[in-house]
Amino acid sequence: MTVNAPAAPTTTELLGRPAGSHPPATREPGPSPERGSSPREGQRVRPLTRRQIEDHLQELGDLYAETSGGGPWAWNQARSAFLRRLAADARRPGFELLIAETTALTGCAHGFPVGGDGPWWEGFDGYLPGRLLRLAAAGRLFVVSGIHVPSRVRRQNQDRAWNLARRLQKRLLTDHGAAVAVTLVKRSDHRTVEALRSWGWRFIEDAPRAAPLGPFRVLVLDT
């Protein structure tokens, strides 16, 4: 699943292959996945430096295309657009990109801290309540601009601490000492909203009354 916002580079992208034409094989009843061993074993999460990001652009682009589904176009236009957005985000102060890997790349997430003013509020204008603006001024607010994971991460064990998406988003906030993460999602993208909420995100309950009824909704995640 791919979510893109051409005018708002801070939109979260949750990537996982949508249901295809081949239904999952029928299995005999067995132990719940939550009761089994954690898939965290062998899946290491670590940050990349800006130089390492440049060195891994090919792999990151491949990960995006492989997990986005949708057909051959994902290997061309969508892949190139993703890499352009990533290059732009990487120039933001405090930007961080985490990768998950075993013997190969299995997922990634990225974002950046924001202040109370400056150019990093593009797309959020008018959406944020005063309490989040105060957190930003104190350096405690973090924008999660992308989460790229296989579809099984959205479908399985969403509430478990070792769910890969949960591990990636938690690590981003922990590394920067952030109290709250924030992201934008297209109003029409119900699958992304469902995935985020299953990982602990929630809608802003005290958004300004004057907030524009635009194409996006803001979700927040507390540490």
Side-chain angles (χ1 to χ4, degrees):
M1 173 173 57
T2 302
V3 182
N4 293 322
T10 52
T11 299
T12 295
E13 299 171 292
L14 303 175
L15 307 180
R17 189 171 302 281
S21 58
H22 301 287
T26 303
R27 295 183 179 181
E28 294 296 326
S32 169
E34 290 84 353
R35 299 179 183 275
S37 60
S38 167
R40 177 174 182 169
E41 183 178 356
Q43 201 164 36
R44 184 168 65 120
V45 171
R46 65 182 177 93
L48 296 184
T49 65
R50 292 187 181 183
R51 176 61 61 86
Q52 289 173 328
I53 292 173
E54 294 175 0
D55 293 341
H56 286 77
L57 282 179
Q58 179 73 27
E59 295 172 72
L60 291 167
D62 289 348
L63 173 71
Y64 179 92
E66 289 167 1
T67 58
S68 66
W73 62 269
W75 290 92
N76 298 304
Q77 295 180 339
R79 183 180 187 278
S80 298
F82 161 70
L83 291 176
R84 287 194 298 271
R85 291 192 301 273
L86 183 62
D89 269 0
R91 293 193 291 268
R92 300 175 186 270
F95 174 82
E96 181 172 350
L97 184 143
L98 297 172
I99 62 169
E101 58 186 353
T102 52
T103 57
L105 200 61
T106 59
C108 73
H110 47 89
F112 48 90
V114 290
D117 53 15
W120 313 129
W121 286 105
E122 181 180 354
F124 284 101
D125 296 342
Y127 283 98
L128 301 180
R131 65 182 183 86
L132 291 186
L133 295 176
R134 290 190 291 272
L135 280 175
R140 304 292 308 282
L141 189 65
F142 191 88
V143 170
V144 174
S145 54
I147 301 176
H148 314 281
V149 293
S151 59
R152 67 178 181 276
V153 178
R154 291 185 287 106
R155 299 193 312 266
Q156 301 173 6
N157 306 308
Q158 301 99 320
D159 61 341
R160 307 295 287 183
W162 42 258
N163 177 279
L164 182 57
R166 283 183 174 261
R167 290 183 63 204
L168 289 167
Q169 65 192 27
K170 180 179 176 65
R171 174 71 179 272
L172 283 174
L173 270 65
T174 301
D175 284 355
H176 290 267
V180 174
V182 63
T183 194
L184 287 175
V185 181
K186 287 183 179 179
R187 288 183 177 273
S188 60
D189 193 348
H190 304 297
R191 295 183 67 205
T192 293
V193 169
E194 182 181 355
L196 285 170
R197 288 174 64 84
S198 74
W199 297 331
W201 292 76
R202 58 183 175 80
F203 292 119
I204 291 181
E205 298 175 355
D206 53 349
R209 291 188 176 184
L213 187 61
F216 304 107
R217 298 192 68 173
V218 178
L219 281 84
V220 295
L221 176 71
D222 299 316
T223 55

